[in-house]
Amino acid sequence: MKLITSKQNSTYKKWIKLKNKKYRDAYGMFLVYGHHLISKAQEKQAILEVLSSNTEFEATHLSKQLMEQLQQTETYIDQIGVCKKINAKIDSNQVLILDDIQDPDNLGALFRSASAFGFNHIILSLQSADAYNEKAIRASKGALFDLYIERKPLREALLELKSKGYQILCADAHQQGQLIKTEKIALVLGNEGHGIREELKEIADGFVTIKTNQVESLNVSVAGAILMYEWRKL
């Protein structure tokens, strides 16, 4: 049985780099942690290698010290999957647009809700958090693997969607409006602090607000889940 024990091992050094977005982008690879996410990656044929220090697991075996260096959470996880980015195009009449979402936990939670409610195409602004950040993947509970996720300038993306007949709806706590059933929708959610940029609001066909008591606005992942659920009910 082969056991990797040296941090100078060339393949191990590559795996360590995957904790950094720069190298995830360069290599087209990322890490997932734990049996559930590894199984999900295997279902989608995204897994390249499974790593563990436990010889009872079928895996590439590393010393405990090397596995500890690969950790990204306080809780030690002894099964790590090395994955390739697979991002098969999905044509969907329901598109979720995320404008500069900064918190990876919010991003992952939105991925999970989007998958649950049929918003299978997601477009991220260039400044949004990385979809392959460990926190985002963990919060998505594996939903990342079921979605088509693009990252591009949003103004151009919205204009393109509009030309294809999508209704552009912006979620905004300070505007009046409600969901209206249309054949194609692009739902825009904004940054946790600043909301949706004005240049994107100018393109919108309408706005949607969630009426609340005593609080001005909801967390973006909560608001997004509510709006996508309500859209499915229409």
Side-chain angles (χ1 to χ4, degrees), residues 119-185:
F119 283 73
N120 296 319
H121 181 188
I122 296 180
I123 302 177
L124 306 177
S125 67
L126 298 179
Q127 301 304 316
S128 287
D130 181 24
Y132 297 94
N133 179 289
E134 186 277 331
K135 289 183 179 180
I137 296 170
R138 181 156 38 96
S140 83
K141 303 296 184 184
L144 170 90
F145 292 106
D146 298 318
L147 301 167
Y148 173 43
I149 301 171
E150 296 186 278
R151 182 182 292 271
K152 58 171 64 172
L154 290 192
R155 179 176 172 80
E156 290 82 349
L158 289 181
L159 290 172
E160 181 181 354
L161 288 170
K162 199 164 190 176
S163 73
K164 294 179 179 178
Y166 286 81
Q167 294 293 303
I168 312 298
L169 286 182
C170 289
D172 193 315
H174 305 292
Q175 297 279 354
Q176 295 298 315
Q178 60 185 9
L179 290 171
I180 300 172
K181 190 68 174 181
T182 61
E183 183 180 352
K184 296 181 176 182
I185 181 177

Side-chain angles (χ1 to χ4, degrees), residues 56-202:
E56 294 181 4
F57 295 141
E58 185 176 342
T60 296
H61 296 109
L62 282 64
S63 68
K64 183 76 176 289
Q65 291 77 15
L66 294 189
M67 282 293 288
E68 287 175 346
Q69 292 299 309
L70 286 169
Q71 301 298 312
Q72 296 188 68
T73 60
E74 290 185 7
T75 303
Y76 179 84
I77 300 173
D78 203 18
Q79 284 181 291
I80 300 175
V82 182
C83 302
K84 60 182 177 181
K85 292 184 180 181
I86 56 168
N87 195 29
K89 184 175 181 180
I90 298 175
D91 291 319
S92 175
N93 287 340
Q94 299 167 200
V95 181
L96 181 64
I97 312 292
L98 301 180
D99 182 24
D100 293 359
I101 302 299
Q102 296 298 297
D103 187 332
D105 287 311
N106 284 337
L107 199 65
L110 284 165
F111 289 167
R112 191 179 187 193
S113 296
S115 180
F117 301 127
F119 283 73
N120 296 319
H121 181 188
I122 296 180
I123 302 177
L124 306 177
S125 67
L126 298 179
Q127 301 304 316
S128 287
D130 181 24
Y132 297 94
N133 179 289
E134 186 277 331
K135 289 183 179 180
I137 296 170
R138 181 156 38 96
S140 83
K141 303 296 184 184
L144 170 90
F145 292 106
D146 298 318
L147 301 167
Y148 173 43
I149 301 171
E150 296 186 278
R151 182 182 292 271
K152 58 171 64 172
L154 290 192
R155 179 176 172 80
E156 290 82 349
L158 289 181
L159 290 172
E160 181 181 354
L161 288 170
K162 199 164 190 176
S163 73
K164 294 179 179 178
Y166 286 81
Q167 294 293 303
I168 312 298
L169 286 182
C170 289
D172 193 315
H174 305 292
Q175 297 279 354
Q176 295 298 315
Q178 60 185 9
L179 290 171
I180 300 172
K181 190 68 174 181
T182 61
E183 183 180 352
K184 296 181 176 182
I185 181 177
L187 176 63
V188 186
L189 301 176
N191 172 269
E192 292 91 340
H194 305 295
I196 299 169
R197 284 172 286 159
E198 289 299 323
E199 66 171 352
L200 303 183
K201 291 181 182 181
E202 293 171 0

